[in-house]
Amino acid sequence: MKLTMVGAGRVGTTTVFELQQEGGFTEIALLDIMVEKAQGEALDFTHGASRAPRCTIRSYGTDYNASRDSDMIIITAGIPRAPGQTRLDLLKVNVEAMGPVLEALGRVNREAILLMVSNPVDVLTYQAVRTLGWPTNHVFGLGNVLDTVRFRSLLGERLGVHGGQISVYMLGEHGDSMQPVTSTATVAGVPLKKFPGYNDDLVKEVVEQTRVGGAEVIAKKGGTFYAVAPSISWVVQSVLRDSKEILPISSLMDGQLGMANMCVSLPCIVGSGGRERVLEIPLSPEEEAGVKNSHRVLRESADAVGLT
């Protein structure tokens, strides 16, 4: 199995390190316009290779031919979000920067599964779907996987349980209009609202912490990647191992909840075929309205930069 990572910054390299340790890929190609930095990262990975499952990791600068025959491509490259800047503020500059990257990848690939991580991820995923013309189940974004991981982690901390025991989602936009889904939430099978320690104010606080979590980390340390890498790996491993995880990835809507022509996060079954099925889980009227509002916000943003 071969992986191409487009972007050797902190998110890309932290993710490669995690994937190197987990195993499953025999080759990882790093692509980045910062050629010497990417070469140094590849050397660093190589120096530690004897303590990880066998995998060749090399840097190829901007030679997109190196991505040929990749089973999976991850894009983390882009202009990073500055303190106080929303993900949607990044839209115009990153749409312009992403165009040549997608065109270069499309010239040498047709069968790969592409995972978009760069922000604003929903609109950039939509751009990738439209630019590449690949099967829509092969092109999707990290979307609200990260927000869901944050939500479960923070809620678990407050309830005194492991976050992996909590089933709760953030859906819609990976950004300001993200919609928490708690009406069907459970903790080890127990409805969230009946779990010891639950109260409405606690959940409201955790939702707000989740919404601002990325911006808070960026303000304090300049970037967020330790939570991002395992979130990316969760998606990658579901494809690699065909484990059929249900993950809130961002993918093209085609009538789900009345939404179309935009990538939005809903729970999806993810396996070796990529996005294998979109699930329309039960939502309260407020939650459904929130997801649809995310779709409207993202569609208006895409229209503003000419992504029809």
Side-chain angles (χ1 to χ4, degrees):
M1 298 289 288
K2 178 179 177 180
L3 171 74
T4 292
M5 175 65 74
V6 182
R10 289 175 292 186
V11 171
T13 53
T14 306
T15 301
V16 169
F17 177 74
E18 177 141 340
L19 295 176
Q20 180 191 36
Q21 299 304 306
E22 291 178 350
F25 290 103
T26 55
E27 181 180 358
I28 297 177
L30 293 178
L31 298 176
D32 199 292
I33 60 173
M34 303 294 288
V35 176
E36 287 196 358
K37 180 185 183 301
Q39 289 173 341
E41 298 287 1
L43 282 172
D44 207 0
F45 289 127
T46 299
H47 294 167
S50 63
R51 296 296 300 153
R54 185 175 182 277
C55 179
T56 300
I57 302 176
R58 292 196 177 97
S59 170
Y60 295 89
T62 57
D63 182 4
Y64 285 88
N65 286 312
S67 69
R68 193 184 304 274
D69 301 324
S70 291
D71 298 282
M72 196 162 189
I73 298 169
I74 302 175
I75 302 180
T76 63
I79 307 301
R81 183 159 59 117
Q85 185 181 39
T86 69
R87 291 181 179 89
L88 291 180
D89 288 336
L90 289 172
L91 179 59
K92 185 174 181 180
V93 65
N94 272 338
V95 164
E96 291 177 354
M98 193 59 64
V101 172
L102 293 170
E103 290 169 6
L105 289 169
R107 283 194 291 269
V108 295
N109 295 277
R110 292 297 299 175
E111 303 298 327
I113 289 174
L114 184 139
L115 174 63
M116 180 68 71
V117 177
S118 306
N119 280 316
V121 66
D122 304 293
V123 177
L124 294 183
T125 303
Y126 181 74
Q127 180 185 14
V129 169
R130 290 292 187 241
T131 301
L132 294 171
W134 296 358
T136 54
N137 61 310
H138 279 198
V139 182
F140 45 87
L142 186 65
N144 287 117
V145 175
L146 172 58
D147 305 293
T148 295
V149 168
R150 282 186 177 132
F151 195 7
R152 294 179 181 184
S153 299
L154 292 169
L155 189 56
E157 186 176 40
R158 294 292 296 272
L159 294 176
V161 301
H162 192 288
Q165 294 284 292
I166 299 174
S167 178
V168 67
Y169 291 106
M170 280 288 186
L171 300 180
E173 177 201 3
H174 175 58
D176 296 337
S177 72
M178 68 178 73
Q179 176 60 48
V181 175
T182 59
S183 61
T184 55
T186 61
V187 182
V190 178
L192 175 61
K193 292 185 178 182
K194 294 184 179 181
F195 194 81
Y198 171 88
N199 65 71
D200 289 344
D201 288 340
L202 180 149
V203 171
K204 288 178 182 177
E205 290 172 9
V206 172
V207 167
E208 184 59 21
Q209 288 177 329
T210 303
R211 287 188 192 279
V212 303
E216 183 179 10
V217 173
I218 290 169
K220 291 180 180 298
K221 59 175 280 188
T224 172
F225 38 94
Y226 294 137
V228 185
S231 301
I232 296 170
S233 178
W234 195 11
V235 180
V236 172
Q237 293 299 337
S238 191
V239 173
L240 189 64
R241 306 183 193 284
D242 193 28
S243 56
K244 314 294 187 187
E245 298 272 2
I246 297 175
L247 303 171
I249 56 172
S250 181
S251 64
L252 184 67
M253 296 292 101
D254 186 25
Q256 293 86 1
L257 300 180
M259 301 182 294
N261 297 320
M262 180 45 60
C263 293
V264 176
S265 289
L266 287 181
C268 298
I269 298 174
V270 179
S272 60
R275 184 201 71 174
E276 298 187 350
R277 184 181 173 191
V278 182
L279 302 177
E280 295 185 63
I281 64 172
L283 301 173
S284 71
E286 179 184 1
E287 290 165 351
E288 182 172 339
V291 173
K292 289 180 176 179
N293 178 60
S294 281
H295 174 265
R296 179 188 61 79
V297 168
L298 291 166
R299 186 59 263 166
E300 289 175 355
S301 298
D303 288 339
V305 293
L307 289 175
T308 58

